[in-house]
Every structure is written in structure tokens, then in C-alpha cells.
Amino acid sequence: MTTLTIATPERMAELGATIAVQLGAGDLVLLNGELGAGKTTLTRAIGETLGIRGTVTSPTFVLARTHPRLDDAGVELSTDAAPPLVHVDAYRLSSAVELDDLDIDFEASIVIVEWGAGLLDGVSDSWLTVDIARPLGGGSRENSADDLNESHDEFADEAIEPRTVTVTGAGPRWADMEWLNAVSD
């Protein structure tokens, strides 16, 4: 387990890029944090680093989005050449069965699940958990229908305040977390 202080959205993007270079087919990342904590900012940076098609937005109403990877010329790569990024918003799911109903190919994809705590049992023997905590009362907004309709989960616009990010590896795949030292201050 590594705990970091991430002061800006740019530093969150740096963390995302660092995580991205570690990811391959079959990897599972669980993101936890309040609305506006920076989950989608982190996922967007992972996607950009992986070279996905399109821009990562919160999949709140579609539950999951698959982002194929592109080569340097912008041509879509096969799943065998480069696993796609699957971004899941499990906020509205109530069980692992509902997650399974999404029919995600976990073995051939890089899967990032927001709000997935308690839903990933039996999906993989290894995963990376990223817990993002924002300051209580700092730049916070009341959760409203407008918040749920936003296409992003950015640091609150009112105040850029540091997040405490805890990255924990579970299982044999994430036994060595030394690569995370590159992000440490």
C-alpha cells in the first residue's frame, strides 16, 4: 500500500500515466472516491497513455464503455495486439451478478471499475485498488441530478485541493509495487 498526496489534476494525470504503463490484458483496477474526487481524471490519463480511441468520460448511464486502442497512425489495433480499455461505472449495480451480466471480457481487456467495492469477488485473483479522498468540505458541491449528468469526474472547479490517494495491490500480479515510487514526492 502506498499513500500519495496529489495536489492538482495534472498530478492526478501523471499518476494515471504511471499506472497505465503497468497495465496489460487481464488487469483490473478498482477506483473508489466521492463524486468529483478525480476518478475519471485518473481514468482519462490512463486511456490517453494507452492510446485509446476517443476520450474517456464517465459511463454513468451506459454502465460500461469499451475504448479500443489505436496505433500511431490512428488505426484501431486488434484486441490481440493491444487490449482495449473497458471503463465501468458500477454505481447503479447492486451485485457481482449484475456486473457479470455486462459480459465484459476481463481476461482480454484492461478493466477499470468505479464504485465497484464488493462487486469484484471471483472476477480476478489480482487487482489494483485506488482510493481517492478529497478534503471534507473542500470545494465540495451538493450531489444533485446535475452532478450525475456530468460527463466527467474532475477535481471540483471551485477549489483545486489536494487529494489523498492510496494505491493497494492485491494478489500476485501486484506483489511488487516499486514502480509507484516514481510518483512519490
Side-chain angles (χ1 to χ4, degrees):
M1 176 172 64
T2 301
T3 300
L4 307 163
T5 298
I6 304 293
T8 66
E10 293 78 20
R11 290 283 291 149
M12 187 68 77
E14 289 174 22
L15 174 60
T18 300
I19 291 171
V21 299
Q22 300 299 316
L23 300 174
D27 283 335
L28 178 61
V29 180
L30 172 62
L31 301 181
N32 299 309
E34 298 294 324
L35 284 171
K39 297 180 301 294
T40 301
T41 298
L42 182 72
T43 305
R44 185 174 296 122
I46 291 170
E48 288 172 0
T49 303
L50 292 174
I52 63 163
R53 181 183 69 204
T55 302
V56 169
T57 58
S58 182
T60 300
F61 294 103
V62 296
L63 301 179
R65 279 200 178 93
T66 299
H67 299 276
R69 311 248 311 262
L70 305 175
D71 67 13
D72 292 337
V75 176
E76 190 171 307
L77 296 166
S78 71
T79 302
D80 292 334
L85 173 66
V86 179
H87 184 202
V88 180
D89 186 326
Y91 183 76
R92 289 179 171 72
L93 302 180
S94 60
S95 70
V97 171
E98 288 180 351
L99 180 63
D100 187 52
D101 285 346
L102 297 177
D103 201 27
I104 296 167
D105 187 351
F106 285 93
E107 290 182 17
S109 305
I110 296 168
V111 181
I112 298 177
V113 181
E114 296 184 23
W115 307 98
L119 301 180
L120 302 177
D121 296 337
V123 170
S124 177
D125 62 348
S126 295
W127 62 90
L128 192 65
T129 301
V130 180
D131 295 302
I132 306 171
R134 57 188 288 187
L136 293 176
S140 67
R141 298 173 288 175
E142 291 297 316
N143 295 344
S144 67
D146 289 338
D147 288 335
L148 295 177
N149 287 319
E150 289 179 6
S151 63
H152 58 357
D153 176 16
E154 299 292 306
F155 278 57
D157 294 331
E158 295 86 358
I160 303 294
E161 295 185 312
R163 272 47 171 169
T164 301
V165 179
T166 304
V167 183
T168 308
R173 166 71 177 90
W174 299 106
D176 179 8
M177 300 284 288
E178 292 297 318
W179 55 269
L180 202 50
N181 291 336
V183 182
S184 300
D185 292 311

